[in-house]
Amino acid sequence: MTDQQTAKPIREAVGIFFDSHKLEETIKDLQESGFQHDEIGLLAGKFTVREKLGHLYEEINEDADSSGAPDTAFVAKESVGDTVHALLGTLYLTGAAVAGGAVVASAGILGGAIAAAAATTAVFSGVGALLAVIIHESDAEYLEEQVDEGHLLLFVRTQDEEREELAVNILSRHAAFDPRVYSLKAAD
């Protein structure tokens, strides 16, 4: 039996947020409940990050689509106590691989998978096509719609059913819209 056949699928709970303050509260609650920094990821459109998370992040590279520009797009503003930007860290652009505007993702979890997929696949027609490399196509289309509508997607890696339930409960408690658990496709 190969490692891929025996490997447990990676599962992540995903909540959709319309409000950045609810997102911040959720991240703090997740961390207080034992979820680590590298188990939490964010996916949003570049404009959404500017508009909804601008109080936490500043754009450091407005020309990230140029060939010589680095992938980093937003960095946390100065830390003031235990705020959410200390939990999410730097946000990165997936680069020119996403047509119609870059998508911002944290370095952890799905964000890392998105960056890896973008680096290994030639061209994507949008967020959904990029996500489809990682999750089921219909789920990818649904999440793409959420990003296109300006929502913030919070991803939480879960290791077992108990952690899945905990993550979904926390997402629900903080008014995440339609929290779900997704399985990421195994890397080929």
Side-chain angles (χ1 to χ4, degrees):
M1 199 177 288
T2 67
D3 288 340
Q4 195 172 30
Q5 290 170 324
T6 60
K8 200 172 183 184
I10 297 170
R11 296 185 44 88
E12 294 182 356
V14 180
I16 300 163
F17 288 86
F18 309 113
D19 177 278
S20 64
H21 298 293
K22 291 287 186 186
L23 175 82
E24 291 175 55
E25 292 170 5
T26 306
I27 292 170
K28 287 178 185 178
D29 195 356
L30 286 163
Q31 187 157 32
E32 288 170 1
S33 297
F35 288 94
Q36 300 301 308
H37 172 79
D38 63 350
E39 294 176 308
I40 302 170
L42 174 72
L43 179 63
K46 184 177 178 181
F47 179 78
T48 301
V49 171
R50 276 190 203 133
E51 294 299 309
K52 294 185 178 180
L53 298 176
H55 63 289
L56 298 175
Y57 290 95
E58 62 184 329
E59 193 164 2
I60 61 165
N61 182 14
E62 294 183 23
D63 193 27
D65 288 336
S66 72
S67 60
D71 291 336
T72 303
F74 295 88
V75 294
K77 292 183 178 178
E78 278 191 51
S79 293
V80 180
D82 184 25
T83 57
V84 70
H85 56 281
L87 304 177
L88 284 177
T90 302
L91 301 178
Y92 298 88
L93 293 176
T94 58
V98 180
V103 171
V104 180
S106 70
I109 313 309
L110 187 60
I114 288 172
T120 59
T121 307
V123 177
F124 291 99
S125 60
V127 178
L130 186 58
L131 289 171
V133 172
I134 304 160
I135 61 175
H136 190 272
E137 188 171 346
S138 63
D139 294 330
E141 290 170 2
Y142 173 73
L143 293 176
E144 177 179 33
E145 289 172 15
Q146 302 309 310
V147 170
D148 289 347
E149 291 176 13
H151 304 144
L152 301 159
L153 279 62
L154 184 64
F155 291 79
V156 184
R157 177 167 285 171
T158 59
Q159 300 169 356
D160 54 40
E161 288 181 27
E162 183 179 325
R163 298 282 282 176
E164 283 179 15
E165 186 176 331
L166 177 60
V168 170
N169 286 340
I170 292 171
L171 292 169
S172 297
R173 183 169 52 237
H174 291 283
F177 175 74
D178 195 23
R180 300 180 187 185
V181 176
Y182 295 94
S183 286
L184 278 63
K185 294 177 183 175
D188 293 330

